[in-house]
Amino acid sequence: MAPGIVRLRVAGSHLADLMGMEVTGLPLSSFLMPDVREDARDAVERVFRDGVALHAGMEACRGLGRGVLSAHLLLLPLRSEGGRLDRALGGIVTHGQIGRVPRRFDSFAARHSDLELPAAPVAPVTPPLFPKSPALTGFAEAQSPFGPDPEAPRQSPAPYLRLVVSND
């Protein structure tokens, strides 16, 4: 979205339960209190700048109906088709009762770890659909082509409706 802002493209029901609303499309910073967002922004920018993994321990604000809730955030950088680090795969695991929502975290302790990322996009390796050697098929039956045989003579189409009468 912008420098230091990461938007959630896919979010599970647990994250929605934490906030008390659907969070898909919201920035990751919406889970944080304003005074720790700058620390989080710096940590997230390093993920995309240096290609490192982010591990962050977080503690939620406590109050009436809000007990102890801690969380761990993992954010892993991903390369796009163009080879740029502009995507990430992440997850949040919480420990404790959610309680009264929304639950936002007021502490953010970040730690980074190095990753070995490929320099360029790797072409996917796709196995052949039909193995050429019978040794590779094991106990499988012989494969038949999908759809009608293009060399078979055309038959007149079967009628769509059929009248069935029973006078019993």
Side-chain angles (χ1 to χ4, degrees):
M1 291 177 66
I5 304 294
V6 176
R7 181 174 53 102
L8 301 174
R9 293 186 71 182
V10 177
S13 61
H14 182 68
L15 296 181
D17 292 343
L18 276 173
M19 296 297 285
M21 59 184 262
E22 180 58 43
V23 295
T24 301
L26 292 179
L28 180 63
S29 60
S30 63
F31 287 92
L32 304 171
M33 295 300 286
D35 46 335
V36 296
R37 288 180 183 170
E38 188 173 335
D39 296 336
R41 185 195 70 218
D42 295 341
V44 167
E45 282 180 349
R46 185 166 174 214
V47 169
F48 293 103
R49 183 183 65 238
D50 301 337
V52 295
L54 169 64
H55 305 267
M58 302 182 295
E59 294 289 328
C61 301
R62 296 184 192 173
L64 182 63
R66 295 178 176 157
V68 176
L69 181 68
S70 63
H72 182 85
L73 166 71
L74 174 64
L75 198 61
L76 303 169
L78 295 174
R79 291 195 188 277
S80 64
E81 292 83 16
R84 294 185 1 232
L85 289 175
D86 59 359
R87 299 173 185 181
L89 178 66
I92 298 176
V93 177
T94 61
H95 304 282
Q97 296 295 319
I98 293 175
R100 197 168 56 113
V101 294
R103 292 303 298 264
R104 289 193 172 91
F105 299 95
D106 61 353
S107 72
F108 189 87
R111 179 178 61 83
H112 292 90
S113 62
D114 291 331
L115 294 174
E116 190 172 319
L117 297 174
V122 179
V125 178
T126 57
L129 293 176
F130 301 105
K132 297 192 179 355
S133 168
L136 297 176
T137 60
F139 291 108
E141 298 175 356
Q143 299 289 326
S144 60
F146 179 74
D149 185 7
E151 307 213 358
R154 289 224 173 242
Q155 299 176 356
S156 63
Y160 290 106
L161 298 175
R162 187 170 142 182
L163 179 62
V164 177
V165 178
S166 175
N167 293 328
D168 291 338

